[in-house]
Amino acid sequence: MSAKKPEKWDYETDVVVMGTGGAALVAAITAYDQGAKVVVLEKTHQIGGTTAFSGGVPWIPLNRYMKEVGLEDTREDALAYINRVTGGKVPDPKLLEVYVDNAYKAIDYLYEYTPVRFAVPGSYPEYYSYFEGSRKGRSLDPLPFDLNEIGEWGALIRHNPTFPPLTLEEGGAIGGIDFVKVAERMENNIVTMGRSLIAGLVKGCLDRGIDIVMETSGKELVLNDKGEVVGLIAENKDNQIYYRTEKGVMLGSGGFEWNKDLIKTFLKGEITHPLTPWGNEGDGLIMAMEAGAALGNMSEAWWYPTMQDPTFEYEDRVMNQLASGGRTGPNSIIVNGKGKRFVHEGTTYNDLPKSFYEFDPVNVEWPNEKNNWMIFDQQVKDASMIVTVMPGEDAPEWMTRADSIKELASKIDINPDALEETVNRWNSQVEAGEDKDFHRGTTFFEGLALGGGNKELNLGKIEKGPFYAVQVHFGSLGTNGGPKIDENGQVISLRGNKIKGLYAAGNAAMGIFGQGYVSAGGTIGPALTFGYLAGLAISQENG
């Protein structure tokens, strides 16, 4: 039950925005530009949430940057591609058209009224480039941003310590990482990717005089007798704060991947290793449910397989990291606790983890739920960065190593005969030139920058010792279920009515793509777009 109107308000404003990620800050800017007085609340001690922690890439059909480099796109192709990837399993098909018709407008707005700038990364195609309607250039790369432009606020922009200050294009260059450029940018306070996007939006807020209140979290919505949102109760370390809102509250506070109770309630399996900042505990979702919101897409998340270097910490926690290095190339496989392969190892990061919670109705078990491992040989170790270990570096203690496959299996609590049989089968199929079990070498993502997968690129024997194993966990870039929203980002009630004064976007709202992940930027694109639409709409609310 949401709170009732208090006897006295501490602050009065038009709009309160919860969160400082992409959806929240775009909503704050657009609402302000339409005449609303805006206050932004940030729960943690850093700005930017999941957006700042990410690559910062939005997926935007028909965008201006495509046109600048001579790339064509059409509404029909964008919708055909989206519909193929999502397979019709979306909470509201109408919102797909709303997205295509407005995503480029949001990017145009940022271009016209903020310092946020993007470019088309030349070497980065879509993940399903062989699908109808696919186009290069929809995933946009944030250009570098000078944090000195926002003074002391620059130190508050959240950072991902595993990302160097390079653009998507620069980080994926064939020549490898330019360490001289990295050093220069670090010395001069130049940031890229998610930090660049958020820093540009923060500059937009500061230029407008929008208040950003740190270490203050929204706790309860205040409703009037009609069930309309008229305020919000927030908390900091010392006080409860009552905000009266003339126009409403915008929920942009991220997902619920760090809330174990909500995970157990809504998802089919536990996200054991989130890849996002700890503040994503479902605050906005809980508040929306208390206000009577209908929910959508609650069983889904932005899945990602993860690995850990137990010596690498971030904010007093061992940091979960992307399980990318080595898994799509040759000379490696992923096995479950029975020593069996269970998935095409080179599929997209959103698709692969879905196999972790497959149910075996014969043995009545979830064989892939726990104790999954990437098994690889010295060839992979010499060629790829594995978690934090660069090629040529000695294997650390946490990277299990053995001189034989059977010995390796014993060290990771897998039946030695079973793992040896699996590796032998893999090697025999590599020799025959075809992975008949899971079809490695046939998907585009496993050869993303090289025109797609093929047997030469993705098939290779596990034969050169020593042999290695690193555990693969079930992770997520964030949940993407939440309150149902309409074409303006306004939250819909259980009875199908609009909840006056309540809006949501980003991971605090239902994901419009359902279980699908269209390509790089499939999270941030809708966040920016519906943040933009919500900001325009909430500013027109009458108290």
Side-chain angles (χ1 to χ4, degrees), residues 44-105:
T44 73
H45 64 293
Q46 292 181 292
I47 292 174
T50 302
T51 308
F53 209 65
S54 74
V57 175
W59 185 84
I60 308 290
L62 302 159
N63 70 75
R64 66 185 300 125
Y65 298 97
M66 295 176 71
K67 296 175 184 177
E68 289 177 1
V69 296
L71 296 174
E72 297 182 356
D73 199 3
T74 69
R75 182 180 191 272
E76 293 72 24
D77 282 339
L79 287 170
Y81 179 76
I82 292 171
N83 285 320
R84 174 63 181 88
V85 174
T86 58
K89 300 180 183 298
V90 296
D92 186 348
K94 297 190 301 296
L95 294 188
L96 301 181
E97 295 192 45
V98 171
Y99 178 67
V100 171
D101 291 339
N102 288 280
Y104 72 91
K105 296 177 184 177

Side-chain angles (χ1 to χ4, degrees), residues 519-537:
S519 197
T523 62
I524 296 176
L528 300 184
T529 302
F530 282 90
Y532 163 78
L533 292 171
L536 294 177

